Amino acid sequence: MKKVLLAEDNSMLSLLLKFRLEKEGYELLIAENGRETIALIEEHNPQLILTDIMMPFISGLEVISHVRNKLNYKTPIIVFSASGQEEIVLKAFKLGANDFMSKPFSPNELMNRVKRILR
């Protein structure tokens, strides 16, 4: 079973995505802040990371940087951001993000992207 890590501080969205991902047969790990995210990545080495950019303690950008530079993992990373701020998105890609979705997004669209990346 493929492990997907979701780093999202909005619990309603987390629950919705957890339901969708588990229904599709993925094992979902949920982190509510950047610190938990990094701990779970180091412990479980998931096949895919979904991270919000704006999170408590450690931002999604710092998570990407940690995965790419400290851990040297090639794990695919999809980032979400409500801000729609172009410079943050560009920074996420420069740090090594594979895909970006702006919030609010359709869970169906996310599922399509997850399946495409994990195919």
Side-chain angles (χ1 to χ4, degrees):
M1 190 184 284
K2 294 195 171 153
K3 279 186 199 167
V4 176
L5 176 99
L6 172 64
E8 170 58 66
D9 57 354
N10 175 335
S11 56
M12 285 304 292
L13 180 59
S14 292
L15 284 172
L16 174 70
L17 296 179
K18 177 178 168 65
F19 175 75
R20 286 301 306 267
L21 286 155
E22 288 179 347
K23 197 173 136 208
E24 296 288 340
Y26 299 104
E27 181 185 341
L28 191 66
L29 306 164
I30 297 179
E32 290 181 6
N33 61 58
R35 244 185 253 149
E36 266 180 47
T37 304
I38 286 173
L40 284 170
I41 291 167
E42 290 180 353
E43 188 182 337
H44 296 279
N45 191 5
Q47 277 81 46
L48 174 64
I49 298 165
L50 309 172
T51 182
D52 193 358
I53 287 185
M54 301 300 174
M55 279 191 302
F57 306 121
I58 295 173
S59 75
L61 294 175
E62 291 169 283
V63 168
I64 300 166
S65 174
H66 187 85
V67 169
R68 296 291 182 251
N69 304 319
K70 294 233 171 54
L71 302 174
N72 287 310
Y73 289 173
K74 302 271 182 267
T75 315
I77 301 173
I78 301 177
V79 290
F80 345 112
S81 175
S83 62
Q85 293 170 320
E86 195 181 356
E87 66 197 71
I88 291 181
V89 176
L90 292 174
K91 200 168 179 187
F93 280 121
K94 201 177 281 171
L95 287 168
N98 300 79
D99 204 348
F100 168 78
M101 295 184 73
S102 86
K103 286 169 143 183
F105 53 78
S106 135
N108 291 335
E109 186 188 346
L110 177 68
M111 286 314 308
N112 287 336
R113 292 182 192 215
V114 166
K115 286 179 186 165
R116 191 183 69 220
I117 286 178
L118 292 177
R119 192 174 292 137

